[in-house]
Amino acid sequence: MVGWKVGVVAESRSETPSGRSIILEVPGWGGNIAGQHLDARVTAPDGYQAVRAYSIATSGDGDRIQLGVDRVQGGEVSPYLVDDLQVGDALEVKGPLGGWFVWKPEHTQSVQLIGGGSGVVPLMAMIRSHRATQSAVPFRLLYSARSEEHTFFRDELAQSSPALDVTLLYTRQAPDGWPRAAGRVTKEDLVATTFPADISPSVFVCGPTPFVEAVASTLVELGHHPLMVKTERFGG
Amino acid sequence: MGIISRGFQGRSRETDSRLPPGQFLTQDFPVLSYGPTPRVSTDEWKFTIRTETGAVHSWDWEQMMALPTEDIDTDIHCVTRWSKYDTNWRGVSLDTLLEDVESTHEFVMAHSYGGYTTNLPLDDITDGKAWIAFQYDGEPLEPEHGGPARLLIPHLYFWKSAKWVRGLEMQADDEPGFWEQNGYHLYGDPWLEQRYW
């Protein structure tokens, strides 16, 4: 494991009313696998430090990485990253971390991604890796967001991409004319929009704990082998 | 001291000797696991200790519940940086379970329902440092938190406190378990910040 590296904000973009994507230039980063995360450390003028883990939305070689951060109510670090951090500001990062919740282009199994809220961030890294390598592996994304404006990477996900199928579901408010009413992901949604268990897809589920618990349990009910369902949970 | 992040103030500066370095305090009880939560009924639950001679010591749920229990009030520390103070558990000490186990090996691999494993030195699970816990806050342990029973080894990062535990296997060397093969430290002392390789 390597030490802390300085990351300078190269770009910062509002993604949702509570979320932002931040592009960092990290000299010596050296690349990461799609799905990995990092530790971010911020330091106050008196030396006080706080560290939190964030998923990386990008992958591959290079020293430019993108994070997707959602503001946690009452949080210590995320409100700073979302509301205060500006282009040119610096923080420190350590990573890449994690060797389980990852997708590599040499994996040939069909891939089902299921994200809730900002849980789409590491899945986006996989989609981008899939696209960048012109992979023919069938990819599907089921993304559950509060509403259209709460959708991370909205424009990018709207672009068509070969071998990628995207389904958006809204929990609070669906756009006018949307084929499905707003609501949480159900068993019927999973049956209708995700790869079935009998083709043994590799499944990645990321989001808030209750979302991941519900989705992962339903997938097992639907016949997916538990070891084919990789999860990443966040929040209390 | 790292480079200063412009505009970051942070919260309280109170030093708290209970909080290991790099941790923050939470009132929640976050869930971490690598896959779906296994549902194990107490009817099928069994806990087994295997040694290098092939000897097998095992307890079903009823036998485990008949053993002397202890109440444990402890702080817990997760490698993902949250710590939680004063958690209340009830369980059986591993000293009780290891009492009649004879082995020359100094390490164990803990195995869980669902396939999870984690490695531990024997010294870290004896002398009142580790339990099979099956109650949290006076209630049966919920599946998300490792129920019906999990290891409780509060002096190490909490991934070592394997959820859905089903047994221990004595091992000659400190072979890495699941997270230890996927980037986490072999030992995991929160006070030394042994998070990653």
Side-chain angles (χ1 to χ4, degrees):
Chain A
M1 173 45 51
V2 288
W4 294 98
K5 295 188 175 77
V6 176
V8 176
V9 179
E11 266 179 60
S12 173
R13 194 172 65 204
S14 171
E15 293 280 347
T16 75
S18 59
R20 184 169 277 278
S21 61
I22 297 163
I23 292 178
L24 294 176
E25 189 70 38
V26 186
W29 174 255
N32 61 271
I33 305 166
Q36 288 188 297
H37 59 278
L38 52 67
D39 276 350
R41 179 165 82 176
V42 286
T43 303
D46 65 354
Y48 173 82
Q49 296 182 321
V51 181
R52 297 292 186 277
Y54 293 101
S55 289
I56 308 167
T58 47
S59 70
D61 303 335
D63 294 340
R64 216 175 159 86
I65 57 177
Q66 185 183 39
L67 308 182
V69 182
D70 207 25
R71 188 195 302 114
V72 177
Q73 283 304 335
E76 183 177 30
V77 177
S78 62
Y80 169 73
L81 296 179
V82 171
D83 300 329
D84 300 330
L85 193 72
Q86 294 170 12
V87 170
D89 287 345
L91 47 80
E92 289 169 293
V93 297
K94 183 190 270 191
L97 305 171
W100 172 250
F101 197 86
V102 294
W103 183 77
K104 297 177 185 174
E106 59 263 35
H107 295 167
T108 55
Q109 207 72 23
S110 297
V111 171
Q112 178 66 55
L113 309 173
I114 305 177
S118 63
V120 76
V121 171
L123 310 182
M124 196 66 205
M126 298 178 192
I127 287 171
R128 287 166 167 172
S129 175
H130 178 255
R131 189 181 289 158
T133 56
Q134 297 178 318
S135 170
V137 172
F139 254 53
R140 277 190 187 175
L141 168 68
L142 173 61
Y143 180 11
S144 166
R146 284 166 62 97
S147 69
E148 198 173 21
E149 66 165 355
H150 284 89
T151 309
F152 270 80
F153 312 117
R154 192 158 62 238
D155 296 341
E156 194 173 336
L157 288 173
Q159 292 164 21
S160 71
S161 181
L164 169 69
D165 183 71
V166 175
T167 303
L168 285 166
L169 300 181
Y170 300 100
T171 58
R172 296 285 172 81
Q173 193 189 353
D176 290 341
W178 201 252
R180 176 189 174 277
R184 292 183 178 212
V185 172
T186 63
K187 188 173 184 172
E188 290 65 39
D189 291 323
L190 292 172
V191 169
T193 68
T194 65
F195 284 126
D198 56 19
I199 68 158
S200 298
S202 192
V203 188
F204 295 88
V205 187
C206 184
T209 294
F211 172 84
V212 173
E213 278 299 315
V215 168
S217 298
T218 309
L219 290 170
V220 172
E221 263 178 55
L222 291 172
H224 291 266
H225 192 285
L227 288 175
M228 295 298 286
V229 181
K230 298 186 176 187
T231 62
E232 198 153 272
R233 299 161 164 86
F234 54 76
Chain B
M1 170 166 143
I3 56 145
I4 290 165
S5 293
R6 185 207 52 80
F8 177 68
Q9 294 304 323
R11 279 203 290 245
S12 112
R13 299 294 193 276
E14 284 168 41
T15 50
D16 181 349
S17 60
R18 280 175 80 174
L19 198 61
Q23 296 293 108
F24 64 90
L25 198 55
T26 182
Q27 307 300 325
D28 298 330
F29 194 170
V31 173
L32 260 103
S33 34
Y34 68 88
T37 296
R39 310 279 154 176
V40 185
S41 86
T42 53
D43 292 341
E44 57 179 313
W45 187 88
K46 197 171 158 184
F47 183 79
T48 303
I49 301 177
R50 288 172 202 278
T51 74
E52 65 273 25
T53 64
V56 174
H57 305 254
S58 70
W59 296 264
D60 63 18
W61 190 258
E62 206 174 313
Q63 290 166 325
M64 183 68 70
M65 293 304 114
L67 296 172
T69 60
E70 294 178 13
D71 289 320
I72 308 106
D73 185 352
T74 185
D75 300 347
I76 55 177
H77 312 291
C78 179
V79 68
T80 63
R81 298 183 182 272
W82 57 265
S83 290
K84 187 172 174 64
Y85 290 166
D86 298 318
T87 59
N88 291 287
W89 307 82
R90 177 167 291 177
V92 171
S93 170
L94 276 177
D95 292 322
T96 305
L97 300 169
L98 288 164
E99 204 170 271
D100 298 325
V101 175
E102 284 181 30
S103 172
T104 59
H105 289 349
E106 292 177 12
F107 301 95
V108 304
M109 185 70 84
H111 292 267
S112 295
Y113 290 96
Y116 182 75
T117 54
T118 191
N119 56 295
L120 296 151
L122 192 56
D123 279 350
D124 284 87
I125 60 166
T126 48
D127 290 333
K129 291 196 286 290
W131 297 265
I132 302 293
F134 44 80
Q135 270 188 29
Y136 176 76
D137 257 352
E139 301 288 336
L141 187 59
E142 299 203 12
E144 291 92 292
H145 291 300
R150 73 180 296 163
L151 278 178
L152 176 66
I153 313 170
H155 72 286
L156 298 176
Y157 280 128
F158 216 45
W159 89 78
K160 292 288 186 182
S161 295
K163 296 176 183 178
W164 316 298
V165 71
R166 64 175 174 82
L168 301 179
E169 192 181 350
M170 307 303 302
Q171 56 178 10
D173 300 309
D174 202 11
E175 303 289 344
F178 175 82
W179 282 122
E180 295 82 2
Q181 290 171 41
N182 281 288
Y184 284 176
H185 195 274
L186 204 58
Y187 182 68
D189 182 344
W191 297 95
L192 299 176
E193 283 212 78
Q194 293 174 335
R195 298 175 193 277
Y196 321 113
W197 291 339

